[in-house]
Amino acid sequence: MSAISTKHLISIKELSTADIETIFNTADNFKEVINRPIKKVPSLRDITIANIFFENSTRTRLSFELAEKRLSADVINFSASGSSVSKGETLIDTVKNILAMKVDMVVMRHANAGACEFLSRNIDAKVINAGDGAHEHPTQALLDAFSIREKYGKVEGLKVAIIGDILHSRVALSNIFCLQKLGAEVMVCGPTTLMPKFIGELGVKVSHNVREALEWCDVANVLRIQLERQATRYFPSLREYTLHFGINRQLLEAVGRDITIMHPGPINRGVELNSDVADSSQSIILNQVENGVAIRMAALYLLAN
Ligand code: CP
């Protein structure tokens, strides 16, 4: 049986290229399974998984839960709102109480970078990072690269522009690591104020001109402006951001290239991406969501085994 080299899935940075390819090959099989009339397999029967979300989520939470159920795992869900976290319980106490109920794996989203790594060092159960602050969101990057591979038959040699709020984005960081490991060229594009200071150390091209990025790339992965993480103002107004960095049909027609449009969601429609692009045949946004279930089934299966 194939396996990956890590006990937990905390970051793309710690995965090898062979690990990523093993996850993709396993996801190919699970994608076939979830398109069958009977979508369930017994692979994780007798495994109990806790989905612990300290931050809001729609896609990741539902996708993990569905993936776990398709694998026949027993599933419990925890969200911080309405829990004893509001009474001052610590992260470790919360998780140890959940683990006392005989849980084998923990899928966690947390607002603090490093929270999943910290957890993995303090508990015996396997930990999957479902997004930790502005650090990493490994399963998002895996499903993004898997969707590119599905569309082009390869990732190697492609040019991928990640456009938007790079500073606050765990998706950007995980995507950069994943795409580079698979041999793609990566450009990041956004306002100077939304670029991390360390961006020059990551081996990516940097642009502050969205037209230049679109003229360069095969694939544009457009990111959300994360207003909830912005304590200060990084640009004068949303209207001005849209004017300079928003992607719409008119701009794509002016560029005149058949670029694939991606977005991890949730989309701020009319801000970073217009509906005439998000809902067009160039967009693979809903394919990303579909592939998320197969990728998460693969990650859960490989870690559990
Ligand atoms: N892409 C993503 O992480 O979306 P959610 O925040 O809805 O899970």
Side-chain angles (χ1 to χ4, degrees):
M1 187 196 309
S2 294
I4 57 171
S5 61
T6 60
K7 181 181 169 196
H8 308 280
L9 179 51
I10 306 296
S11 67
I12 296 289
K13 202 171 184 177
E14 71 188 353
L15 294 182
S16 66
T17 304
D19 288 334
I20 296 171
E21 277 161 7
T22 299
I23 294 170
F24 285 1
N25 293 337
T26 310
D28 283 334
N29 293 332
F30 284 130
K31 182 144 184 191
E32 197 259 310
V33 167
I34 60 180
N35 281 295
R36 285 184 203 157
I38 297 169
K39 299 173 171 55
K40 218 164 166 169
V41 285
S43 313
L44 296 194
R45 209 170 45 201
D46 301 327
I47 299 278
T48 304
I49 305 175
N51 299 314
I52 303 181
F53 279 69
F54 289 90
E55 256 195 350
N56 295 343
S57 168
T58 299
R59 277 145 293 272
T60 311
R61 190 168 55 83
L62 292 179
S63 179
F64 265 113
E65 187 174 344
L66 195 56
E68 291 151 6
K69 288 179 171 167
R70 296 272 189 256
L71 292 167
S72 307
D74 292 319
V75 179
I76 55 172
N77 291 307
F78 167 92
S79 355
S81 60
S83 75
S84 291
V85 170
S86 58
K87 299 176 194 163
E89 192 169 50
T90 65
L91 169 62
I92 294 293
D93 277 344
T94 299
V95 176
K96 283 199 166 154
N97 276 274
I98 293 169
L99 293 180
M101 301 174 206
K102 307 293 175 217
V103 167
D104 304 293
M105 296 177 82
V106 173
V107 174
M108 185 170 84
R109 170 169 290 190
H110 201 281
N112 294 340
C116 296
E117 211 267 324
F118 173 71
L119 189 66
S120 72
R121 281 192 275 110
N122 283 282
I123 62 171
D124 290 330
K126 295 183 178 175
V127 177
I128 298 186
N129 179 2
D132 62 330
H135 174 226
E136 281 223 35
H137 191 349
T139 56
Q140 181 68 46
L142 289 166
L143 75 89
D144 288 346
F146 184 81
S147 302
I148 294 172
R149 168 184 175 268
E150 184 174 69
K151 165 112 198 223
Y152 292 91
K154 60 171 189 174
V155 177
E156 189 171 7
L158 292 173
K159 294 177 174 174
V160 182
I162 304 171
I163 301 171
D165 182 353
I166 311 296
L167 180 67
H168 299 99
S169 177
R170 51 197 173 213
V171 174
L173 207 54
S174 285
N175 260 268
I176 291 169
F177 295 139
C178 191
L179 292 165
Q180 288 178 335
K181 282 176 196 271
L182 295 172
E185 273 188 83
V186 183
M187 174 186 279
V188 291
C189 174
T192 318
T193 50
L194 289 178
M195 282 295 162
K197 286 197 171 57
F198 58 81
I199 198 73
E201 296 158 27
L202 298 182
V204 295
K205 291 181 190 300
V206 180
S207 171
H208 305 296
N209 180 322
V210 74
R211 187 167 172 152
E212 177 184 63
L214 293 173
E215 281 171 352
W216 175 84
C217 72
D218 301 302
V219 178
N221 196 351
V222 186
L223 303 181
R224 186 171 68 89
I225 290 297
Q226 301 197 28
L227 291 169
E228 76 277 18
R229 293 192 205 277
Q230 300 184 7
T232 54
R233 288 170 75 109
Y234 291 86
F235 45 83
S237 67
L238 277 183
R239 197 162 164 271
E240 185 148 334
Y241 179 84
T242 303
L243 199 63
H244 291 288
F245 291 96
I247 296 177
N248 54 43
R249 173 69 27 215
Q250 201 183 359
L251 176 61
L252 282 185
E253 278 171 9
V255 169
R257 298 182 64 244
D258 187 19
I259 298 161
T260 298
I261 300 293
M262 302 175 70
H263 194 303
I267 305 172
N268 289 315
R269 284 181 183 259
V271 178
E272 69 268 2
L273 198 57
N274 266 20
S275 292
D276 57 11
V277 177
D279 304 329
S280 73
S281 57
Q282 276 175 270
S283 159
I284 59 164
I285 293 170
L286 291 179
N287 303 63
Q288 291 172 258
V289 178
E290 182 187 343
N291 288 334
V293 178
I295 281 289
R296 289 173 176 126
M297 286 174 82
L300 290 159
Y301 172 80
L302 290 165
L303 288 177
N305 285 289

